[in-house]
Amino acid sequence: MKIVVGNEKEISALIAEDFIKVINEKEKPVIGLATGTSPLQVYADLIKANKEGRVSFKNVTTFNLDEYVGLDGTHNQSYRYFMNENLFNHIDIDKANTNVLLGVGDYQKFMHEYDDMIAKAGGIDIQILGIGSDGHIAFNEPNTPFDSLTHETELTAQTIKDNSRLFNDISEVPTRAVTMGLKSIMNAKKIVLIATGKNKAQAVYGLIKGPITESMPCSILQKHPDCTIYVDEDAYSLVGNK
Ligand code: GLP
C-alpha cells in the first residue's frame, strides 16, 4: 500500500493523472468510478484534460460502485444523476458504455449480473474509491464479508447521518443500497483511494494501521497488490501522530 499526502488539489491532480495514464495505455480501458464529494476535483481535472485533448473517453467503459435503492436515475441524489452531472455530460464518452447500478425496477437482476459484466469487459483497470467515516468503501458497511460480490445492503445510522447533508431532510435518505462487494472491488487491477478532512481520520487510521478486519471494511485494501492512498493532512492526522 502506497501513501501520498498532499492538499486536495494536489492529490486530485495526481489521481487524474493515474487515470489518464491507464486510459491512454489501454485499447479498451475499463475504469471504476465513485460518487461522494471526495472525487469531485478528480472529475473536474479529467473533464479539463479531455477538453484539452490529453485524454479521450471514446473507448472507455465505466462501472460505478453503488446506488441507492428507491432512487430513479433522474432523482438529483441518485448516483446515476451525480455521474451524468459531474462527469459523463462533459466528456466524449458514449453513455451506452457507462454502467451504474440500478436502484429501481428490476435492480436486483442487474445487481446479480454486475460482476459478470465487469469480468466480460476485461475487469477494472483502475478503480477510484472514497471512504465513509465508519470505514465503508462503496456501500460495504462494517461487517460486510470480505468475499462479497455485488449485493443489496442496509445503510448504517452513521452513513445515513453523514449522507443526509446532501438531502433536504434526513428522512429522505434511502436506508438501502446496492453496492459492489469487497471482493468485486479487490478484483480491480489498480486502486486509488482519496480521503480528505478530519472526519475521515479514524477510518484512514483503520485503513492504514488497523488490523485487517471485517469491522473496518477498508482494511482489506492492505492486501491489494497495487493500491495507493491519497490523503490530506487532516485525514492523515491520526496515522501521522500515533
Ligand atoms: C457514500 C458513498 C461512498 C463514499 C462515501 C463518502 O457513502 N457510497 O462511495 O466514499 O459516501 O462520501 P464523501 O466523499 O462525500 O465524504
Side-chain angles (χ1 to χ4, degrees):
M1 180 178 261
K2 204 175 134 202
I3 298 159
V4 178
V5 186
N7 67 38
E8 189 173 3
K9 234 182 152 45
E10 290 164 352
I11 56 179
S12 298
L14 290 171
I15 294 172
E17 290 310 318
D18 288 343
F19 270 85
I20 291 167
K21 188 161 180 276
V22 170
I23 294 169
N24 285 339
E25 272 171 12
K26 291 258 165 178
E27 209 173 308
K28 286 182 181 282
V30 180
I31 65 175
L33 300 173
T35 50
T37 45
S38 304
L40 280 174
Q41 185 58 44
V42 175
Y43 297 157
D45 289 348
L46 287 176
I47 292 166
K48 187 161 174 279
N50 184 226
K51 295 213 186 307
E52 289 169 356
R54 295 183 50 228
V55 65
S56 168
F57 293 84
K58 284 212 168 94
N59 297 318
V60 172
T61 299
T62 72
F63 287 93
N64 258 80
L65 289 169
D66 47 11
E67 181 59 284
Y68 288 115
V69 169
L71 299 193
D72 181 80
T74 57
H75 188 288
N76 67 7
Q77 287 306 327
S78 75
Y79 287 168
R80 161 55 75 181
Y81 185 90
F82 175 103
M83 290 310 304
N84 287 346
E85 286 289 303
N86 293 298
L87 186 63
F88 301 150
N89 286 348
H90 312 285
I91 56 176
D92 63 344
I93 199 160
D94 179 352
K95 282 251 180 74
N97 296 333
T98 67
N99 299 287
V100 182
L101 283 156
L102 300 173
V104 294
D106 215 349
Y107 72 92
Q108 289 177 326
K109 181 171 179 277
F110 191 56
M111 165 186 99
H112 289 306
E113 291 167 357
Y114 210 60
D115 288 279
D116 278 348
M117 285 170 62
I118 295 172
K120 280 205 188 99
I124 291 173
D125 294 308
I126 180 169
Q127 171 72 57
I128 185 170
L129 298 175
I131 189 168
S133 66
D134 61 0
H136 73 243
I137 47 177
F139 270 133
N140 292 284
E141 296 284 23
N143 303 316
T144 302
F146 282 153
D147 64 357
S148 51
L149 293 173
T150 304
H151 63 284
E152 182 169 358
T153 186
E154 197 156 333
L155 303 182
T156 62
Q158 180 64 47
T159 297
I160 291 172
K161 186 166 163 274
D162 285 350
N163 291 2
S164 68
R165 72 189 194 282
L166 304 167
F167 289 79
N168 294 324
D169 188 86
I170 193 162
S171 64
E172 289 178 15
V173 186
T175 56
R176 299 184 71 77
V178 275
T179 180
M180 272 167 63
L182 292 167
K183 188 169 178 202
S184 324
I185 292 171
M186 288 293 282
N187 282 340
K189 292 165 204 161
K190 182 180 182 67
I191 295 178
V192 293
L193 181 146
I194 180 165
T196 58
K198 273 244 156 20
N199 72 322
K200 302 291 172 70
Q202 197 64 54
V204 167
Y205 184 82
L207 164 68
I208 296 171
K209 292 271 171 166
I212 299 175
T213 161
E214 288 179 348
S215 62
M216 183 55 80
C218 57
S219 63
I220 190 64
L221 295 175
Q222 290 176 30
K223 287 203 170 166
H224 195 278
D226 184 359
C227 177
T228 305
I229 310 300
Y230 290 92
V231 280
D232 72 355
E233 297 280 359
D234 283 342
Y236 194 59
S237 54
L238 289 178
V239 181
N241 292 337
K242 278 190 191 172

